[in-house]
Structure formats: C-alpha cells, structure tokens
Amino acid sequence: MAIFDQEREQMERGELAQLQLERLQATLTRVYKNVKFYKKKFDGIGFLPDDCQSVEDLKQLPFTTRHDLAVSYPYEMFAVPLREVVRIHSSTGSPGAPIVLGYTARDLRTWAHLAARVLTAAGVDRDDVVQVTLSYGLLTGAFGFHPGAELLGASVSPTGTGATARQVKIMRDYHTTVLVSTPSYARVLTGEMEEQGVDPKSLHLKVALLAGEPWTEAQRREIEYALYVTALDYYGLSEALGPGVAGECKNRQGMHLNEDHFFPEVVDPQSGLPLPPGELGELVLTTLTREATPLVRFRTGDLCALVQERCPCGRTLARMSRIYGRTDDVIIVKGINIFPSRVGQILARIQGEEPADQLAVGREGHLDYLEVRIAVREGLFFDKMTRQRELLQQIAHKLAQGIGVTPRVKLVEPGSISREKETSPLVIDLRR
Ligand SMILES: [Zn+2]
C-alpha cells in the first residue's frame, strides 16, 4: 500500500514528539505575538510561550471554543496581515454565528499535501478519476480534496452538490473511480441509479470517501454493498483546516491523524480533563503548522477515541475512531457521561445489527434512571417469554459494562421509534 509522505507518516514516535514540540513552541510564540485573544488568555494565567518545554505544558492552557471564534468575527483570530491571506473560508459557530478562517499560500500547500495523504491511504493514485460531490463554497469540503487529488496527479471532476441525475451520468461516462461524498448523498446516488436502471456493477467505482455527518458500520456495509465500492471514513473540520486532518487506510482500523500538523487530545466533555488513550471523549486539536488562523486547544465538539499503536499499513500516526456523535448529544446520568451512539453500538454487537433504540432519562426521588427502549423486530425479540427475559437481562448487563450505568431495558412496539424519518428524538430527558 502506497504512503504519500513516508518520512512523516512512518516517523518514529519519539522523533514525532520532538517535531511536535518544536512546532508547538513556534505556534504559541506566533499566536502570543499576533493574536490579541491568545495574548490576553496567556497573560491571564501568567503563561509565556517560552514556558512551554514539553507538550504536557500545553495542558495548562485554556481551550478555544467555537464561541471564541464566532465573537472574533471576522478577522480577530488572524495571526497574519490580510495581505498574506490568499483564501477565506467560513464555518458556522454557535449558535449560527459565522466563523471566518484564513489560509496563506503555505497553508494551502499544506492542505493539498495532507489531503493527498488521506487520498493515498484510501488507495487513490494518478490513474483515478475523482468525482467531488461536496460543496464548492465557503465551507471547506470540496476545496480540500480537489487540490489534494490534483497533487497526486489524479483527474478531478468537480461536480459539486446536487443535480443527482447528472452526477450519475458523469459517473458512468467519465469512468469515475473515486466518489467523494457524504454518506447520505451516497445513498441518494444509489437511489438515482436504481431509478435510471444503472447497474452500479457496470460503473468503474472502486472507492468512496465519506464524511461530513456521523455514520455507522452498518451504513458502511450498506453503501459498499449497493455501490460495489470500498467505503472509507475521513475527518476534517473547517476550523482546523478542512478535509485532510485524518483518514482511514484500507485496514479500516481508525483514521490516521496527521499528528505532525495537529496535536490531538481527548478530554472529558464535562470536566475538560484529559482521558487515557483509547477512551471515548471530545477531540481537542492544536494546529502545529497553520499560519493564518492557528488554534490552541480547539474543542471540536466531536466524540471519538484515539489509539497510538502502529497500524499494519506501516503508518505510525495515531488513529482516531469514527466520530460517535457530538458533545451536545451527551447526557449525564448519575454523574456519568452517556453517549447515545455508544448504546447503539453495544446493541449492534449483541444483535448483529443495530435495532432502533431510544434513551429516556428520568428521575425518581433524587435518583436518575436510564431507560433504553428497543423496538421489537420479527425474529429479533419474538421468542419464548423466559428466553426474552434472559435476553433483556443480558442486554442490560452488557450495556452496564459498556456505559457504566445499569439501564432499564424496555421493548416497545415496532415502528414506534423510527430513526429513518427522524420523527422521534434519540434522547428524551424527562428530568427537564
Ligand atoms: Zn493504516
């Protein structure tokens, strides 16, 4: 399997740590000098950039949030004069306030390079035809992959979003081999092919790079089966750069995070304290090479876990799990963070596939309780009463092990939870 930047992507971890520290020191010096927001924050805790002698020192620094970026609208977070900025993108802050991000010429080169790493890990090379169905606009989606694919020497067809019938025609006529899309749009394309009577087998597709919304292993299998492709996950967010932050290799054991450009931490979403490797929490990123809009300890709001073991593909970069949801989705029961998507995952492991489920949180007296409602499906729960009781106990036990709270498990009418149409919320909080 090809690796785009062997020297960096297979770096010995000790060497990587040294490079990260050097780049971190440079970043902290730059933001302290050029961004008032950071000068004020650092001064507030009596921190000077020279105080950073190891990456551990980073943990003393306060977080940067989307709210911080939104109130700095439009250019307050820029660390370079506007004349050095060659591209401006935008993203949505909280709640709904825009965030503005700048790119110097060097930022754009770095971006293309990192996108090329992600594409190469997915098996893309110069012989490929890459159809980018993401938005070419203020958001970063399409603009990350486009130059990355060109840098590899692949042919890019920048179809952008929508016009699904035309997308299918282009896919067929141009011999598209790589689809860049959101998981939901990949399914829209599948539907359109069916309608047009286009057999996906007759196309040249081999890889689909999908992200932009949380998706599951079940959806992956579905898309792979429907489109005859290998579906791979990638991660990027406009605030940090755009697509190119991390991407899966064909081993699909997590997304390789470009740690020589982003220093990752995973923290408890409530306390903000760092979590041990492998634990699910909120991803926090510090940019290490970003020139125009560098970020220190940016809270992404995305839930994932990180592992550092070397991947069979040879890359030594840490791998991040798929995004299990947003911190806004986290519910607290008896002081414990519960990630609704984690519940779905555990149920899938017990049942083979993920049943429709819903969480209800309530309070009896002073005690919180969690109720997991699972839709009954034929062949899934219709069994003898005694066997069913056993199964419910088993589910409660497995959930307790996985989420740290023993839930009540309740079977509900089929169809009463319809995730497809998103008519019923994933979580009902009766305590409010
Ligand atoms: Zn790998």
Side-chain angles (χ1 to χ4, degrees), residues 199-202 204-207 223-230:
D199 180 2
K201 251 191 225 166
S202 70
H204 293 75
L205 279 181
K206 58 172 200 188
V207 174
I223 292 166
E224 292 194 326
Y225 181 76
L227 285 178
Y228 296 94
V229 290
T230 303

Side-chain angles (χ1 to χ4, degrees), residues 102-103 114 187 189 205 222 272 326 328 354 373 378 380:
Y103 297 75
L114 295 182
R187 289 166 89 180
L189 285 167
L205 279 181
E222 221 174 274
R326 303 267 316 151
D328 323 324
E354 199 168 319
R373 299 168 178 173
E378 209 157 349
L380 204 59

Side-chain angles (χ1 to χ4, degrees), residues 1 3 121 247-256 310-317 319:
M1 274 192 285
I3 294 180
E248 277 184 320
C249 70
K250 293 218 164 163
N251 290 305
R252 312 206 286 192
Q253 290 171 16
M255 297 180 272
H256 291 285
R310 190 194 192 98
C311 178
C313 74
R315 287 177 182 81
T316 50
L317 300 169
R319 281 168 285 152

Side-chain angles (χ1 to χ4, degrees), residues 4 9 110-121 124 144-145 147-149 151-152 244:
F4 186 72
E9 292 178 79
T110 304
W111 194 5
H113 171 95
L114 295 182
R117 282 190 191 179
V118 170
L119 287 160
T120 305
V124 181
F145 281 118
L151 186 61
L152 285 182

Side-chain angles (χ1 to χ4, degrees), residues 42-342:
F42 292 9
D43 284 346
I45 55 162
F47 181 92
L48 287 170
D50 284 347
D51 294 340
C52 179
Q53 292 305 316
S54 97
V55 289
E56 286 300 306
D57 293 328
L58 182 63
K59 297 194 170 96
Q60 306 170 27
L61 292 173
F63 294 114
T64 306
T65 63
R66 280 200 171 79
H67 178 75
D68 294 331
L69 300 186
V71 296
S72 307
Y73 180 88
Y75 295 144
E76 290 290 300
M77 291 299 271
F78 280 35
V80 298
L82 208 51
R83 64 173 177 276
E84 283 177 38
V85 172
V86 297
R87 174 89 65 77
I88 296 167
H89 279 289
S90 170
S91 146
T92 312
S94 63
I99 286 170
V100 181
L101 306 142
Y103 297 75
T104 63
R106 191 160 153 245
D107 283 335
L108 289 186
R109 281 198 298 277
T110 304
W111 194 5
H113 171 95
L114 295 182
R117 282 190 191 179
V118 170
L119 287 160
T120 305
V124 181
D125 62 29
R126 58 184 310 159
D127 294 326
D128 282 303
V129 179
V130 182
Q131 186 166 337
V132 181
T133 70
L134 303 174
S135 158
Y136 281 84
L138 278 171
L139 288 170
T140 50
F143 281 103
F145 281 118
H146 187 118
E150 284 179 350
L151 186 61
L152 285 182
S155 320
V156 189
S157 76
T159 52
T161 53
T164 309
R166 195 183 55 140
Q167 298 268 14
V168 172
K169 182 175 160 51
I170 287 172
M171 200 172 280
R172 189 187 55 203
D173 297 349
Y174 296 11
H175 295 187
T176 298
T177 55
V178 180
L179 170 69
V180 179
S181 157
T182 59
S184 51
Y185 195 61
R187 289 166 89 180
V188 171
L189 285 167
T190 312
E192 178 65 28
M193 286 175 198
E194 230 167 83
E195 223 159 83
Q196 287 188 26
V198 173
D199 180 2
K201 251 191 225 166
S202 70
L203 301 173
H204 293 75
L205 279 181
K206 58 172 200 188
V207 174
L209 272 155
L210 309 173
E213 63 207 15
W215 59 306
T216 63
E217 283 303 317
Q219 277 169 285
R220 189 202 307 257
R221 281 193 297 273
E222 221 174 274
I223 292 166
E224 292 194 326
Y225 181 76
L227 285 178
Y228 296 94
V229 290
T230 303
L232 297 171
D233 199 5
Y234 68 86
Y235 179 72
L237 72 172
S238 299
E239 291 84 355
L241 182 78
V245 175
E248 277 184 320
C249 70
K250 293 218 164 163
N251 290 305
R252 312 206 286 192
Q253 290 171 16
M255 297 180 272
H256 291 285
L257 198 150
N258 289 312
E259 285 176 284
D260 49 337
H261 293 267
F262 306 96
F263 184 81
E265 298 169 78
V266 173
V267 303
D268 180 301
Q270 253 67 46
S271 68
L273 293 173
L275 292 170
E279 275 203 37
L280 192 61
E282 179 179 358
L283 181 68
V284 172
L285 292 177
T286 297
T287 64
L288 298 176
T289 52
R290 203 80 158 73
E291 288 187 331
T293 39
L295 293 175
V296 177
R297 302 196 84 200
F298 177 68
R299 294 190 75 144
T300 64
D302 290 322
L303 297 169
C304 71
L306 278 183
V307 290
Q308 285 194 347
E309 286 89 56
R310 190 194 192 98
C311 178
C313 74
R315 287 177 182 81
T316 50
L317 300 169
R319 281 168 285 152
M320 61 184 274
S321 68
R322 64 170 57 252
I323 301 298
Y324 285 118
R326 303 267 316 151
T327 46
D328 323 324
D329 302 335
V330 175
I331 44 170
I332 308 169
V333 181
K334 295 178 185 168
I336 294 172
N337 294 331
I338 312 272
F339 306 103
S341 51
R342 179 101 182 99

Side-chain angles (χ1 to χ4, degrees), residues 348-423:
R349 225 173 290 150
I350 302 170
Q351 291 297 329
E353 58 184 301
E354 199 168 319
D357 68 288
Q358 185 176 53
L359 306 183
V361 193
R363 187 168 288 153
E364 269 171 2
H366 294 292
L367 280 181
D368 291 342
Y369 68 88
L370 174 71
E371 184 175 275
V372 177
R373 299 168 178 173
I374 306 170
V376 180
R377 247 200 351 246
E378 209 157 349
L380 204 59
F381 293 107
F382 277 127
D383 231 321
K384 277 194 190 117
M385 278 310 276
T386 48
R387 168 85 187 89
Q388 199 172 84
R389 217 171 301 141
E390 261 170 49
L391 184 63
L392 290 183
Q393 274 167 5
Q394 188 201 347
I395 290 173
H397 180 66
K398 285 268 162 68
L399 283 171
Q401 282 180 327
I403 60 177
V405 170
T406 305
R408 305 169 180 179
V409 181
K410 193 175 156 191
L411 297 182
V412 295
E413 286 290 305
S416 61
I417 303 169
S418 59
R419 191 73 62 237
E420 277 299 312
K421 294 183 200 116
E422 286 173 16
T423 46

